[in-house]
Amino acid sequence: MKLLAAAALLAALVPAAPHGQSAPSASTGPSSGTGHERRGDDCARPPAAPEARHRTDGHARDRMDLSPAEAAAVETRLNRILDGLVQRGHGPSKSANQRRAAQITIPVYFHVIHSGAKGNLSNAMIQRQISTLNTSYGGGNGGADANVSFTLKAVSRTDNAAWFGDPERYEGTYKPRLHKGGKSTLNLYSTYIGGDLLGWSTFPWKYKSEPQMDGVTIHYASIPGGSIENFNKGFSATHEVGHWLGLYHTFQDGCSDQGDRVADTPAERDPTNGCPSFKDTCAAPGEDPVHNYMDYSYDTCMTSFTPGQGTRIHNVWTAYRA
């Protein structure tokens, strides 16, 4: 679905659909959890508020942009928590290498929301997505090993046409029913997502206020071998799980000194569309990180995280999910 630039700007002003709307009665499979995000068209400047970014090719990654003020508030609280843990002797080491040394192993409950045969992923498809997460976060496609791994604990299947057809509307209904585990457990939902949205997530600092809403949602056709052209290598899940682990987009705060709060991802003003051979939107050293999982590039372009992103993941995990 292609949207005009004016529509994209209007979308930036419209809040996400509220949680908690009731669903019509429908059969629900056995239980075995979420958040929101797009990949989108380039904007001339970083947004002043959360924005739906739309791609010229009709697909977007998510709606996980924060305003600079929102990101600053999150970082202030994160640093306060980490400093407090260090002072009490429970926090991460001052050494970045030591901080990332311990492996994080994350149990995954995979919730398949489908409508009959449509969207009813096979166990083999689900396992391919888990394998892709492990390869992505283990440095298997290039870049840094983030020392994060994922273990599939269980699969739930829910045949519900209403939930499948409009997951944003009904997530406040299905998530509390399906969600499993606690703050260190990933609930990964696959379903149909209309328009140009490929997935969404919750940030870790939101867990305390809405624990049952915690998790990641992906378009079922974005899994490895799926039917969405240019976005079918499973990296929509990699990208969304990055947010679930506390990473921002690489273009967060644009060309400002703060950026995405990771020193080794070069500053980037605009999200990437496609897979350009060269892109450099900021005067600071370094070309735009078009191959980074937290940009908006095609799946065929994405290959890596940086060591700094791995360190941030472990810091945020210590503060909010450990």
Side-chain angles (χ1 to χ4, degrees), residues 3 6-18 36 38 49-54 63 65 168:
L3 301 178
L9 292 174
L10 179 61
L13 303 176
V14 179
H36 292 269
R38 297 181 187 261
E51 173 184 350
R53 295 183 180 270
H54 302 279
R63 287 196 298 252
D65 298 318
E168 289 188 271

Side-chain angles (χ1 to χ4, degrees), residues 260-281:
D260 66 348
R261 274 64 177 183
V262 177
D264 60 1
T265 56
E268 182 179 30
R269 186 191 65 196
D270 305 332
T272 301
N273 186 7
C275 189
S277 59
F278 174 83
K279 179 169 171 274
D280 191 0
T281 55

Side-chain angles (χ1 to χ4, degrees), residues 77-94 99 183 314-322:
R77 177 166 176 74
L78 171 62
N79 291 330
R80 185 184 304 123
I81 292 171
L82 291 174
D83 288 346
L85 290 172
V86 169
Q87 291 172 9
R88 295 194 297 272
H90 303 297
S93 164
K94 292 293 185 182
R99 202 155 43 220
K183 60 186 178 181
H314 283 250
N315 282 342
V316 174
W317 185 271
T318 298
Y320 292 107
R321 296 204 182 275

